[in-house]
Amino acid sequence: MDTPKILITGANGQLGRVLTQSLRAEYGNDAVLASDLNFPDSAENENTIFLDILNTERVKETIKDHKINQIYHMAAILSASGEYNPHKTWNVNFNAVLDLLEIMRECNVGKLFYPSTIAVFGNTTPQSMTPQDVPLLPETVYGISKTTGELWCNYYHNRYGVDVRSLRYPGIISYQSIPSGGTTDYAVEIFHEAIKHNKYTCFLGPDTTLPMMFIDDAIRATIDLMKAPKEKIKTRTSYNLSAMSFTPAQLADEIVNHIPQFEIDYEPDFRQEIANSWSESIDDSRAREEWGWNHQYDITKMTKRMITELKKIYI
Ligand code: AKB
């Protein structure tokens, strides 16, 4: 197997940052080229570049110049932000992926990781233990673009043999950055506000159940999927992936176990409708059977770790 030479797009995002650190820890700094539109804390250097994924020629040059053989394409506009600018969201989330698939084919790049999401599900999807193969009728432009991307990934794999692998991420909970633009972001914001102010106003109602995952599990799933032998990856649209499901009220109760004075109130906004169209829980048995996926964090373990890590930052 070739030594990995990895390009990460969206390396400054919630998942991209931690993925960059983890892949560098595993393969060395020089094996990982981190790219994004901007990096507030660091200037460009030989392993970090500013790259607009809509600039197809520059993306292609970068892949050729750096002899890239694996791409983690993490750049995307998320569900809530996407609704403010549907056409830009389509361009970033879909057209850039189609161009990338074509570059993969043309330049014979080894592997592509394509992040999909629970936003591919919609009001017609069974909401409890959503099966792997269901009709997808997403409500948001983010969901539409990710669904279409899944289908094109499958097409490029079947037609041209492009080794593209994908996961349908639930809401990701991490302490390394504050996500923005998503519907599941409340589950990160709540920890910051609990530690700083002992209270949080949630933009979803108390009983909104959504699937969630702690960052360590999400990163391990991503890297394990990319490392799995080709013949084990039988799903080339995107794998359902699951760890835990909870409501804002249940998460608040967990936080109270660590911060007894914590209080939550609720002011649902337009994101409530998006959340209502998504699954409450996910059947990810195919990922577990085919390449050995197994989560390690439940709501209790995740809450304890989030509070421990954020206290190191704030207190
Ligand atoms: C969002 O809320 O938009 C994302 C997602 C579930 O893909 N976190």
Side-chain angles (χ1 to χ4, degrees):
M1 197 198 76
D2 288 343
T3 318
K5 183 72 209 212
I6 297 168
L7 172 67
I8 305 181
T9 70
N12 192 34
Q14 186 195 14
L15 274 157
R17 280 194 205 186
V18 188
L19 190 61
T20 304
Q21 283 166 4
S22 304
L23 288 170
R24 284 187 175 156
E26 179 137 5
Y27 298 114
N29 277 352
D30 293 343
V32 181
L33 181 63
S35 76
D36 208 309
L37 272 181
N38 55 54
F39 290 93
D41 307 330
S42 63
E44 235 181 25
N45 60 45
E46 71 270 23
N47 295 325
T48 304
I49 57 163
F50 300 111
L51 183 65
D52 177 356
I53 52 153
L54 293 176
N55 186 342
T56 313
E57 276 317 302
R58 174 95 208 286
V59 172
K60 200 188 216 172
E61 264 166 41
T62 304
I63 289 169
K64 283 187 173 163
D65 292 351
H66 292 264
K67 300 189 172 44
I68 297 296
N69 56 21
Q70 287 189 27
I71 300 172
Y72 289 74
H73 180 53
M74 309 310 284
I77 298 178
L78 298 185
S79 56
S81 299
E83 294 306 292
Y84 290 107
N85 198 338
H87 287 261
K88 183 172 174 203
T89 303
W90 176 255
N91 259 336
V92 170
N93 288 2
F94 176 66
N95 284 332
V97 174
L98 189 53
D99 286 347
L100 206 50
L101 284 165
E102 191 50 23
I103 297 172
M104 298 278 301
R105 183 183 74 79
E106 224 182 285
C107 304
N108 214 4
V109 181
K111 286 183 206 171
L112 171 67
F113 177 76
Y114 169 71
S116 190
T117 163
I118 54 167
V120 297
F121 304 126
N123 283 321
T124 56
T125 308
Q127 287 204 317
S128 174
M129 290 305 278
T130 303
Q132 173 70 45
D133 294 319
V134 281
L136 302 175
L137 204 57
E139 301 291 321
T140 59
V141 67
Y142 172 60
I144 295 170
S145 58
K146 287 291 179 180
T147 304
T148 318
E150 283 191 11
L151 297 175
W152 276 90
C153 287
N154 192 47
Y155 179 81
Y156 265 73
H157 174 262
N158 294 344
R159 177 86 202 268
Y160 303 116
V162 172
D163 188 356
V164 50
R165 303 168 181 213
S166 174
L167 298 172
R168 288 174 180 156
Y169 289 123
I172 304 299
I173 302 171
S174 64
Y175 54 88
Q176 293 91 339
S177 61
I178 304 181
S180 70
T183 301
T184 57
D185 293 357
Y186 91 84
V188 179
E189 290 171 8
I190 193 172
F191 285 103
H192 290 263
E193 294 306 307
I195 290 172
K196 286 193 293 185
H197 303 120
N198 293 328
K199 63 183 179 51
Y200 178 62
T201 300
C202 187
F203 58 76
L204 298 181
D207 301 323
T208 314
T209 306
L210 285 173
M212 299 280 180
M213 181 174 286
F214 186 58
I215 186 79
D216 288 14
D217 277 338
I219 297 295
R220 194 166 43 78
T222 309
I223 296 178
D224 282 359
L225 178 71
M226 287 295 269
K227 278 186 183 163
K230 226 178 189 170
E231 60 282 2
K232 293 208 167 182
I233 311 300
K234 301 203 175 81
T235 300
R236 296 293 182 158
T237 47
S238 188
Y239 281 99
N240 277 6
L241 192 74
S242 164
M244 60 185 116
S245 286
F246 55 75
T247 64
Q250 286 166 333
L251 182 55
D253 286 347
E254 287 287 338
I255 293 174
V256 167
N257 292 334
H258 300 265
I259 306 173
Q261 61 280 37
F262 176 64
E263 282 175 11
I264 186 165
D265 59 10
Y266 302 93
E267 282 177 18
D269 64 18
F270 74 101
R271 288 168 280 193
Q272 183 68 54
E273 215 175 303
I274 298 178
N276 290 347
S277 75
W278 292 353
S279 301
E280 294 185 348
S281 58
I282 304 286
D283 175 357
D284 62 352
S285 47
R286 196 167 312 156
R288 290 173 193 262
E289 280 155 24
E290 291 187 1
W291 49 275
W293 160 243
N294 207 351
H295 70 280
Q296 289 176 354
Y297 280 81
D298 61 12
I299 183 173
T300 304
K301 192 171 167 194
M302 174 278 289
T303 302
K304 190 167 175 227
R305 180 84 190 280
M306 282 296 285
I307 290 179
T308 309
E309 297 294 344
L310 289 178
K311 276 189 173 165
K312 289 184 203 160
I313 299 172
Y314 289 118
I315 298 177

